[in-house]
Structures are given as C-alpha cells and as structure tokens.
Amino acid sequence: MNTPYAAFSDDDSWWSPGSLARAADLLDAHPRLAALAARTLVGPQEKRDPICNAMANSPLVAEPGMPGPPVRGFLGCAVVIRRSAYLDAGGYNPRLRIGGEEELLAADLAAAGWVLVYVDEIIAHHYPSKIRDSVERRRSSTRNALWFAWLRRPLSTAARHTLLAARAALKDANVRDGLVQALRGLPWAIRHRRVLPRRVEEDLRLLDRERRLRALK
C-alpha cells in the first residue's frame, strides 16, 4: 500500500460518503496530524457513540489551528490515520489483537510528537455484529488495559490499575480471566517497557480523572 493515509473499518462498520475525502483534505492541510477520530453512529438507530461525547469535550489543551479537540485514543473502526506515522509507531501490536488495542498505538503516536484529534464532521457507521463474543472481549480488554499500563505508565499508575483489576476480579470471572492472561504476559511487558514522556503521561492522568468523575455521575 502506497497511499499516504489509511481509513480503518471492521466488518460491521463503514464510512459516510464524503467523510474520507474530507479527512484526506485535513491531513493534507496539517502535516503534524497523525490521526482523525470520527463521529461514530451506532446501530440502525444511528445513536452517537458515548465515546464521541468524551472526545468532543476533551479536557486536553488544544493546539492552535488544529481541526478538532485533542485526543489520546480512538475507536479502531472509526479512525483515519497517516500511514507514515502509523508505520513509525510500529502499528497495532499484534499481541494485543482486539480489545482496547488502540490505546497503545495512540500513546506511542503522541509520544513521537504527532497530533491526534476528534473531528465531528467525519462520520463512521458501526452496526455491532450480533455474533461478537462479548465474554472474550471483556477478557481481552482487561488484559490489554493492564499490558498498556505495564508497558507505558509509571510504576505507581501501573500498580493502581493492577490493584483495581484485582478487586474487580473478585466479583467478575471474565475480569479474573483477563487478569490471568495479563499476568502470563508480564515478562514480555517488562522486556518491552518504555515509559511515556511526561507530557503524554500528564494527559493520560487528566483523562483518567475525567473518566472517574463521569463514572460517579
């Protein structure tokens, strides 16, 4: 593939007409922009995915001139990405497979100095497959969240995330299975550990606080 940009989709998602052309125009206009997270409309009712509201109201400091609020994550089925940035960051880590795998890539892009934004006018449609294994997704999401913490976050933050997962595992068998999977990969995570730059970690801490506040509402 020699195109400068790539638009990701799953087998249960697609892009609105004109969205990809608009995304390409924005990436052309902003050379430091690595990824555009799109507005995602879910199911036949085309309901706005709640994560879009969180991205649209990002508490992170915006860089002047960029076409949307800054983000440190995206939905894998609703992102347009600069090919060179994706390759330089190593792409999606194949070990994570599916379930929160976007978080590691987004953090590595930000660590390399790239900008990631949410653009509401770019639209993806996602009609979740009825045959999706929600149990396995719960396990893999737990595992991947822990691996991300162990691979990139400071020890204190990684320890806090591990403790929270351990507490949840006492009541949820799927979280417990995910925790066990994560622990099996701990030696690998330690070997590949590379803590994020302070500026990126501060952004992630701010987003962690926002998520905790939303959970209390």
Side-chain angles (χ1 to χ4, degrees), residues 1 3-6 8 27 30-36 74 80-92 104-116:
M1 183 180 71
T3 57
Y5 315 126
F8 288 91
L27 287 162
H30 301 280
R32 291 188 54 242
L33 193 57
L36 302 175
F74 44 78
V80 183
I81 200 163
R82 190 178 299 274
R83 178 174 175 268
S84 60
Y86 177 85
L87 294 176
D88 287 347
Y92 285 117
L104 179 60
L105 174 59
D108 285 347
L109 287 168
W114 290 100
V115 177
L116 299 84

Side-chain angles (χ1 to χ4, degrees), residues 92-115:
Y92 285 117
N93 190 304
R95 184 157 188 149
L96 275 63
R97 300 194 300 276
I98 296 175
E101 72 281 7
E102 305 93 345
E103 191 172 27
L104 179 60
L105 174 59
D108 285 347
L109 287 168
W114 290 100
V115 177

Side-chain angles (χ1 to χ4, degrees), residues 47-93:
K47 292 184 177 180
R48 182 186 179 100
D49 193 301
I51 197 173
C52 296
N53 295 328
M55 291 192 291
N57 296 291
S58 170
L60 304 180
V61 177
E63 185 168 327
M66 286 296 164
V71 296
R72 290 292 175 265
F74 44 78
L75 292 173
C77 67
V79 63
V80 183
I81 200 163
R82 190 178 299 274
R83 178 174 175 268
S84 60
Y86 177 85
L87 294 176
D88 287 347
Y92 285 117
N93 190 304

